[in-house]
Amino acid sequence: MRTLGYAVLSLLSREDLSGYDLKRMMERPLGYFWSAKHSQIYPELARLEEDGYVTHRVVEQRGKPDKKVFGITAEGREALKAWVTEPPAGRAARDELVLKAYSVWLAEPGAAAALFEEQGRRHEEQLKQYEEIEAWMEKNWGESPGRMGFEDFASYAALRRGIGFERDYAGWCRWVAAGLKERQSG
Amino acid sequence: MRTLGYAVLSLLSREDLSGYDLKRMMERPLGYFWSAKHSQIYPELARLEEDGYVTHRVVEQRGKPDKKVFGITAEGREALKAWVTEPPAGRAARDELVLKAYSVWLAEPGAAAALFEEQGRRHEEQLKQYEEIEAWMEKNWGESPGRMGFEDFASYAALRRGIGFERDYAGWCRWVAAGLKERQSG
DNA sequence: GATTGTTATGTAAATACTGACATATTACGA
DNA sequence: TCGTAATATGTCAGTATTTACATAACAATC
């Protein structure tokens, strides 16, 4: 199975969801570390159902169109569980901003510094959002990772990665911007 | 133009290279933040040449097959320069290990801890390699980012991102592993 | 009554990327 | 001399992903 399939299963292992729900989860919170458009999700759900990893039931709604709510099967849960402890496939790192940094010597230092400052701001904003979620988690689940529920710990761990990433990335942006500014005047 | 084109131009703006050279650079050092297989590179070079961003000459070699050495044109350099200060397209973050962390509550804590410890080791190894390059750069180019050559600063900046990333990532892996171990016994 | 927005589900076309196939030169070692 | 490895350049099929197209129910507002 492809990673997208496991991404879908990872959400369905926590709660039953429609394709539309999944689409929204792929924006937030899962979108922070895995993303997919609805044009990927609907065919993937069909494939997962064909393979026996999920099933669906139609739910009639008032004030909204009907929806198909998907649930994970025992088989799907087993496949997901087995996948979790397998080493991840060697990913191809791709970061456009680092590529730009690598060629920044061609640019006007002032214009480049503005870019990296703006990007720094963006990552600081994202960091702030993550930290708010972190505060909520710690308030509701406790501050000790060892004492919170296992499922909560998993969510907390994923969030922690996001916090580390954004904090470090923002710092790097600021550092690059400062180095560029030094070149602007003297 | 697509990002791959700028990745190729970013290498050719520093020195003339053959398709095969580019392929190797896409493994190391560019591969640390952008990667492509040779099956992408050769068609991309043809496209770039058609658009007037690069030109090539055939170089005969002794003991090796002939090669096509590509060089960037003034037009290519201008296009690259303009691209550098434009904000990057909103990337879709994809990290399989974080996705696994999100579903780690389904797994046996022991097996999962082993995975995260192994991944931590990998990132620590990569960090060590980066730090060796960093030491070489600082020895040869000076320790002050403001005083080294602009092109050197650009290389140094890209490396710095790699160092920050690996250090933070390795730390996170260790933290997750520790949290999982706590669950193993008590 | 018409337009806009949200929920809801899909398909199709285009682009991007990977992995396999394909070929040729030369060096080196068994 | 035969196989293996490195250098060197390409194509092609399949997979993955994005963008655009397409439809429909219902709510709220103008």
Side-chain angles (χ1 to χ4, degrees):
Chain A
M1 215 197 314
R2 31 128 99 42
T3 309
L4 174 61
Y6 293 110
V8 169
L9 290 183
S10 75
L11 286 166
L12 293 180
S13 70
R14 288 162 173 251
E15 55 179 329
D16 289 0
L17 295 164
S18 69
Y20 192 72
D21 293 332
L22 283 161
K23 175 211 130 194
R24 274 182 302 195
M25 300 287 251
M26 286 288 181
E27 287 155 9
R28 185 173 39 94
L30 205 83
Y32 297 143
F33 46 93
W34 203 269
S35 66
K37 313 272 169 170
H38 77 278
S39 54
Q40 263 187 294
I41 293 167
Y42 288 112
E44 186 64 34
L45 281 168
R47 236 170 287 141
L48 288 170
E49 187 152 44
E50 206 183 354
D51 295 345
Y53 296 129
V54 303
T55 51
H56 83 269
R57 60 184 197 281
V58 175
V59 174
E60 286 171 55
Q61 295 185 112
R62 273 172 300 173
K64 291 177 203 174
D66 295 354
K67 63 177 174 180
K68 288 187 190 176
V69 173
F70 288 84
I72 195 167
T73 62
E75 220 181 320
R77 198 173 292 267
E78 272 316 297
L80 180 60
K81 186 189 163 183
W83 169 81
V84 167
T85 48
E86 256 160 56
R91 34 126 208 155
R94 283 198 178 102
D95 190 320
E96 205 176 318
L97 192 65
V98 182
L99 189 59
K100 280 171 194 280
Y102 185 69
S103 286
V104 78
W105 59 281
L106 289 165
E108 327 266 354
L115 171 72
F116 281 90
E117 248 158 31
E118 167 58 20
Q119 293 295 314
R121 261 193 299 279
R122 276 172 187 252
H123 287 281
E124 272 157 22
E125 245 172 69
Q126 186 62 70
L127 171 62
K128 215 173 138 189
Q129 276 184 46
Y130 285 163
E131 281 173 337
E132 275 164 28
I133 302 169
E134 187 193 27
W136 181 92
M137 284 184 177
E138 285 170 355
K139 193 186 150 202
N140 287 276
W141 302 342
E143 268 157 78
S144 159
R147 245 169 301 203
M148 56 178 73
F150 202 175
E151 194 182 320
D152 294 340
F153 169 75
S155 301
Y156 185 66
L159 178 69
R160 275 290 196 127
R161 178 66 206 119
I163 288 173
F165 176 82
E166 297 297 341
R167 184 174 290 150
D168 198 62
Y169 206 101
W172 175 75
C173 287
R174 297 291 191 186
W175 176 87
V176 175
L180 289 166
K181 269 193 198 155
E182 258 189 87
R183 259 153 228 286
Q184 227 181 334
S185 41
Chain B
M1 214 196 316
R2 31 128 89 49
T3 309
L4 174 61
Y6 293 110
V8 169
L9 290 183
S10 75
L11 287 167
L12 294 180
S13 70
R14 288 162 173 249
E15 55 179 329
D16 289 359
L17 295 165
S18 70
Y20 192 72
D21 293 331
L22 283 161
K23 176 210 127 192
R24 275 183 302 194
M25 301 286 252
M26 287 287 181
E27 287 156 9
R28 180 175 43 94
L30 205 83
Y32 296 143
F33 46 92
W34 202 268
S35 66
K37 312 272 169 168
H38 77 278
S39 52
Q40 261 188 297
I41 293 168
Y42 288 111
E44 186 63 33
L45 282 168
R47 236 171 286 141
L48 289 170
E49 187 153 43
E50 208 184 352
D51 294 346
Y53 295 130
V54 303
T55 52
H56 83 269
R57 60 184 197 282
V58 176
V59 174
E60 286 171 53
Q61 296 185 111
R62 275 172 299 176
K64 291 176 201 172
D66 295 355
K67 63 176 173 180
K68 289 187 190 177
V69 173
F70 287 83
I72 194 167
T73 63
E75 220 183 319
R77 197 173 291 269
E78 272 317 297
L80 180 59
K81 188 189 160 181
W83 169 81
V84 167
T85 47
E86 256 160 57
R91 36 120 207 158
R94 280 198 180 106
D95 190 319
E96 206 177 318
L97 192 64
V98 182
L99 190 59
K100 280 170 194 280
Y102 186 69
S103 286
V104 79
W105 60 280
L106 289 165
E108 327 266 352
L115 171 71
F116 282 90
E117 248 158 29
E118 167 59 20
Q119 293 295 313
R121 263 193 297 280
R122 276 171 188 252
H123 287 281
E124 271 156 21
E125 247 172 67
Q126 186 61 69
L127 171 63
K128 216 174 139 189
Q129 276 184 46
Y130 285 164
E131 281 173 336
E132 275 163 28
I133 303 168
E134 186 191 29
W136 180 93
M137 284 183 178
E138 285 171 354
K139 194 186 149 201
N140 287 276
W141 302 342
E143 267 157 79
S144 158
R147 248 171 299 206
M148 58 177 74
F150 202 174
E151 195 182 319
D152 295 339
F153 168 75
S155 300
Y156 185 66
L159 178 70
R160 275 291 196 125
R161 178 65 205 120
I163 288 173
F165 176 82
E166 296 298 341
R167 183 174 292 150
D168 199 61
Y169 205 101
W172 176 76
C173 287
R174 296 293 190 185
W175 176 87
V176 175
L180 288 165
K181 269 193 200 157
E182 257 189 87
R183 258 153 228 285
Q184 225 180 335
S185 42

